[in-house]
Amino acid sequence: MTRESGGPARLLVLADEQGNIIAAAAVPEPGAASPDAPSSGGIRVSEGRVVHEVALPEGPLQDEAVESLGRFYVSLDDGRPQLVRRSPGNARA
């Protein structure tokens, strides 16, 4: 899931206030058309949930993130949303 330009693929993720990922969808590359894409639509976000656009981690973690987003959470620690792998020291509720 890497862009042809070599940069990381991007996701739209719906997360709760603690950063737990509820749902995700790939951000299509510019100019990419998909017959499965809806002709119109939007994201309805309920209270306490936020949509973020994040880059998938590069390297081996990219495959892991694609396989199981439950092993990651959204962090805003540096002011921009990013996927962070859960570990015993940083597990979120």
Side-chain angles (χ1 to χ4, degrees), residues 54-75:
V54 297
L56 283 169
E58 294 187 37
L61 283 181
Q62 188 173 96
D63 289 337
E64 182 180 348
V66 170
E67 293 290 320
S68 178
L69 277 174
R71 294 182 186 159
F72 291 80
Y73 65 93
V74 177
S75 171

